Amino acid sequence: MTQGPLTTEAGAPVADNQNSETAGVGGPVLVQDQLLLEKLAHFNRERIPERVVHARGAGAYGTFTVTADVTQYTRAKFLSEVGKQTETFLRFSTVAGNLGAADAVRDPRGFALKFYTEEGNYDLVGNNTPVFFIRDAIKFPDFIHTQKRDPYTGSQEADNVFDFWGLSPESTHQVTWLFGDRGIPASYRHMDGFGSHTYQWNNEAGEVFWVKYHFKTDQGIKNLTAEEAEILAGKDPDSHQRDLREAIERGDFPSWTVYVQVMPAAEAATYRFNPFDLTKVWPHADYPLIEFGKLELNRNPENIFAEVEQSIFSPAHFVPGIGPSPDKMLQGRLFAYGDAHRYRVGINADHLPVNRPHATEARTHSRDGYLYDGRHKGAKNYEPNSFGGPFQTDRSPWRPVPVSGVTGESVTPVHAEDNDFVQAGNLYRLMSEDEKERLVTNLANAISGVTRDDIADRAINNFRQADEDFGKRLEAAVQALRG
């Protein structure tokens, strides 16, 4: 900011910023003191509504660098050559907590990444887990209601949490992740990120591939035990945000090696389980990780509110060569995220510096609305026009997907090995004995807070179906805690 006199919002110089204007010495304040009214009115409106989910977060700018040739899979320009760099902005977050909640809690972490590409912004909105609790977006509001404060008690209720999970067996895999060692990362720098959903890549020849993104932390995985997190959350609620900011300030730039799993489109229909099911991972033995990039965070935002809280991300923000898949959770998010931003930040949220394209220019016919900045000046606001306005390219960013059947409320297609419990059991059996013990302890502590036996029994039974030993140990631990 340039040096000079303090001014009002309209630019007029301020004579006295220490004393309100009154009717005589010690008298009542006058309504004509417009500086006072302007400051108080602005202060009352300094906060936009917080996010319903992912309210608590931190962010930083960085650079994505292509390290391997993937042009055989995608025509996206920002991935077109080895060594090419793209500016990014990454927002980390927890899911269930309010804006002032502590960082060190057992909760999935959002991993929302914006690429400022020359073909427009590409948003990859994922988590620090490769799977999620549900596979259909119609269940998302119900799920989040169980994680947030109960409208009667005003607190998060174990009954709500485990009632929903017990009645939604597809959640068993993600709950096993959440209550295992990686359920509470030690910092944002020491966790992996995942695109989680399946996405489409398509190349110049028009060939289609289904892909999953993986961001492997170069700092190494570090986690907190439940006991360590409880102490840290009380001592320093801002622990993760502070750690990220201070690491970048001292030049210790966090980085992630970026991989992709690639499935030729023709293999999806006959794969042993539904490849678009968000509750499942693709085994690396079937589709190995292919390294193709490096992500580094190297610049802190100058204003948390302007750049982190007003940042918006939408999985519908694609670029040519990348597109959606039939993943039903992803399909719902394509609408829901943009709609949330239009409500929370405003219809012109994309005009804000953190959200607008940095490597190209947005050219649309949208006009007016809250906080419209007049950028289009006298240009025509319709298409087609003969006044030199922007025009369509006649080439879709992604390839069409064949569909068949009748309309209706359909369940997810069943493949040969579709099962809600197999991958949760596989994850449990991969753990060491110490990891299993901590997982069972964490889950038992949470389930023991349930007030109804049938809710607790149903929740335990899901883990028993994933692995008999898992369920047996969990049942014994819960019984011991519940007396």
Side-chain angles (χ1 to χ4, degrees):
M1 182 180 293
T2 58
Q3 296 297 310
L6 179 68
T7 74
T8 66
E9 296 287 348
V14 171
D16 188 345
N17 195 44
Q18 316 306 317
N19 304 288
S20 301
E21 192 173 342
T22 60
V25 178
V29 171
L30 298 177
V31 74
Q32 73 181 36
D33 189 342
Q34 290 301 296
L35 176 64
L36 170 67
L37 299 185
E38 180 182 88
K39 289 179 68 176
L40 293 180
H42 190 282
F43 180 78
N44 286 344
R45 295 162 175 80
E46 279 184 357
R47 294 294 175 262
I48 59 176
E50 69 175 43
R51 291 167 166 89
V52 176
V53 287
H54 297 279
R56 172 67 178 170
Y61 295 93
T63 305
F64 173 78
T65 305
V66 178
T67 59
D69 184 7
V70 288
T71 55
Q72 61 181 306
Y73 306 120
T74 178
R75 60 188 173 95
K77 283 188 179 178
F78 79 102
L79 300 176
S80 61
E81 56 183 291
V82 175
K84 187 164 187 172
Q85 294 190 327
T86 300
E87 183 188 3
T88 62
F89 182 78
L90 175 58
R91 185 179 186 269
F92 303 100
S93 57
T94 52
V95 173
N98 299 106
L99 189 58
D103 289 336
V105 295
R106 188 174 302 281
D107 202 4
R109 301 301 193 271
F111 196 96
L113 181 60
K114 187 181 297 293
F115 298 85
Y116 299 101
T117 90
E118 66 266 52
E119 296 180 293
N121 292 349
Y122 171 47
D123 290 352
L124 184 60
V125 189
N127 284 324
N128 71 325
T129 60
V131 292
F132 196 60
F133 299 92
I134 52 177
R135 63 171 67 96
D136 194 315
I138 202 168
K139 297 182 71 170
F140 187 74
D142 300 288
F143 164 63
I144 292 300
H145 286 166
T146 72
Q147 305 298 300
K148 304 290 280 189
R149 297 178 186 273
D150 182 272
Y152 174 68
T153 67
S155 302
Q156 189 183 51
E157 297 295 334
D159 282 3
N160 301 356
V161 171
F162 284 97
D163 189 35
F164 181 87
W165 285 345
L167 293 167
S168 304
E170 71 266 30
S171 68
T172 307
H173 191 187
Q174 171 75 324
V175 175
T176 304
W177 268 85
L178 181 60
F179 283 84
D181 283 355
R182 297 194 183 193
I184 315 179
S187 80
Y188 291 132
R189 297 181 298 124
H190 294 95
M191 69 181 196
D192 291 342
F194 300 88
S196 301
H197 294 288
T198 300
Y199 292 94
Q200 184 195 108
W201 275 8
N202 59 88
N203 63 19
E204 285 290 352
E207 296 172 303
V208 172
F209 304 88
W210 302 120
V211 302
K212 284 184 176 288
Y213 296 98
H214 300 250
F215 296 75
K216 298 292 186 182
T217 176
D218 295 327
Q219 290 69 237
I221 296 288
K222 289 185 182 179
N223 305 301
L224 299 172
T225 65
E227 296 75 18
E228 290 170 337
E230 187 174 353
I231 294 170
L232 181 58
K235 283 185 173 181
D236 183 9
D238 302 326
S239 57
H240 288 33
Q241 179 173 299
R242 187 188 319 282
D243 174 86
L244 178 66
R245 185 189 72 248
E246 291 180 350
I248 294 174
E249 284 176 347
R250 65 175 178 265
D252 184 10
F253 300 142
S255 65
W256 287 259
T257 303
V258 188
Y259 302 83
V260 66
Q261 288 178 283
V262 179
M263 174 189 292
E267 298 179 14
T270 56
Y271 190 50
R272 52 199 174 98
F273 57 83
N274 180 8
F276 309 115
D277 183 345
L278 185 56
T279 69
K280 294 182 174 65
V281 298
W282 297 355
H284 295 178
D286 292 350
Y287 297 100
L289 295 182
I290 300 171
E291 180 183 338
F292 75 101
K294 180 74 72 173
L295 173 67
E296 178 188 85
L297 299 182
N298 47 37
R299 179 165 66 90
N300 283 318
E302 295 181 359
N303 183 287
I304 297 296
F305 178 72
E307 297 166 86
V308 179
E309 294 316 306
Q310 292 195 129
S311 64
I312 63 171
F313 300 85
S314 172
H317 290 170
F318 293 113
V319 292
I322 303 177
S325 78
D327 177 340
K328 294 178 79 172
M329 267 299 297
L330 173 60
Q331 291 286 317
R333 294 177 81 206
L334 296 179
F335 160 76
Y337 275 58
D339 189 57
H341 307 322
R342 285 186 284 271
Y343 157 73
R344 195 180 66 87
V345 188
I347 193 64
N348 289 306
D350 288 302
H351 292 199
L352 296 171
V354 68
N355 299 324
R356 66 189 178 213
H358 289 190
T360 186
E361 176 189 2
R363 293 179 292 274
T364 77
H365 294 294
S366 299
R367 299 288 190 275
D368 309 330
Y370 186 60
L371 291 183
Y372 175 61
D373 61 7
R375 63 176 59 190
H376 299 91
K377 299 181 180 178
K380 302 299 183 184
N381 64 342
Y382 58 90
E383 195 280 330
N385 72 54
S386 61
F387 292 87
F391 50 87
Q392 65 189 39
T393 66
D394 293 322
R395 189 179 187 188
S396 174
W398 58 81
R399 300 292 296 167
V401 176
V403 296
S404 62
V406 297
T407 61
E409 292 80 11
S410 57
V411 299
T412 302
V414 176
H415 291 231
E417 295 183 22
D418 274 337
N419 182 289
D420 287 329
F421 305 108
V422 168
Q423 292 200 353
N426 291 342
L427 178 60
Y428 176 78
R429 290 183 287 274
L430 282 174
M431 296 179 180
S432 67
E433 187 58 32
D434 286 346
E435 289 173 328
K436 289 178 180 177
E437 186 61 35
R438 289 190 291 271
L439 168 64
V440 169
T441 299
N442 293 334
L443 271 171
N445 286 336
I447 295 174
S448 65
V450 170
T451 62
R452 280 171 40 189
D453 289 342
D454 63 311
I455 293 177
D457 292 344
R458 191 163 49 237
I460 293 168
N461 188 55
N462 282 346
F463 299 105
R464 182 182 291 110
Q465 292 189 71
D467 184 276
E468 186 66 29
D469 176 69
F470 190 0
K472 206 176 285 186
R473 292 166 65 166
L474 181 57
E475 181 179 27
V478 171
Q479 286 177 349
L481 289 169
R482 288 167 67 87

